[in-house]
Amino acid sequence: MEAYREDYPQMKDIEILESGYKKALKYQSDAFMAALLAWLGSGFYLGLLALAITTGVLAVKNWSYLWMITGVLSLASFGSFILMILHYLRKRSIEKALFAIQFKKGDKAEISIKI
């Protein structure tokens, strides 16, 4: 907040809060999408690997190497799933705060909150 005040001294505090939350929401949305793509991508590659082995397209010569790849992909999928949930929850809390700031900025905030 102090950095925004130094950069934009003519802005009101509520506008500074709104612009800060908008920027945080953009970063959080990008992080959520990256975690979602990582989760879907690792799951897709794990599915392709399982499909290739079951249909016989991929002949397994070294089972330890296969288990290592499967383990790494599974851990990556699990980690990105957890990160996706955390980013979503953070994104949702930022959206709620931004919504409250926009209500407070409006002239009819008391009527809107009562409805």
Side-chain angles (χ1 to χ4, degrees):
M1 187 118 165
E2 293 300 321
Y4 269 97
R5 276 195 195 121
E6 290 175 7
D7 292 343
Y8 306 104
Q10 71 277 9
M11 287 178 77
K12 297 178 186 175
D13 283 346
I14 194 83
E15 292 172 347
I16 290 172
L17 274 175
E18 185 179 17
S19 63
Y21 272 104
K22 281 183 181 180
K23 187 171 279 199
L25 182 63
K26 181 192 175 309
Y27 290 142
Q28 203 61 43
S29 295
D30 292 345
F32 170 72
M33 288 305 294
L36 177 66
L37 288 176
W39 177 55
L40 290 174
S42 58
F44 178 74
Y45 283 122
L46 228 125
L48 279 181
L49 182 66
L51 185 66
I53 290 171
T54 55
T55 57
V57 174
L58 182 67
V60 180
K61 294 179 183 176
N62 189 355
W63 283 95
S64 61
Y65 182 68
L66 174 73
W67 285 114
M68 184 184 70
I69 289 175
T70 305
V72 168
L73 281 174
S74 296
L75 285 175
S77 179
F78 178 71
S80 58
F81 178 72
I82 297 298
L83 284 174
M84 181 189 65
I85 291 172
L86 292 175
H87 287 304
Y88 173 75
L89 292 174
R90 180 67 182 142
K91 179 180 171 244
R92 194 175 71 177
S93 70
I94 291 172
E95 285 173 345
K96 284 180 183 178
L98 192 57
F99 189 63
I101 289 170
Q102 289 170 349
F103 260 149
K104 191 171 185 168
K105 242 176 97 172
D107 294 337
K108 301 180 184 195
E110 292 179 23
I111 297 171
S112 301
I113 292 171
K114 287 179 183 177
I115 290 175

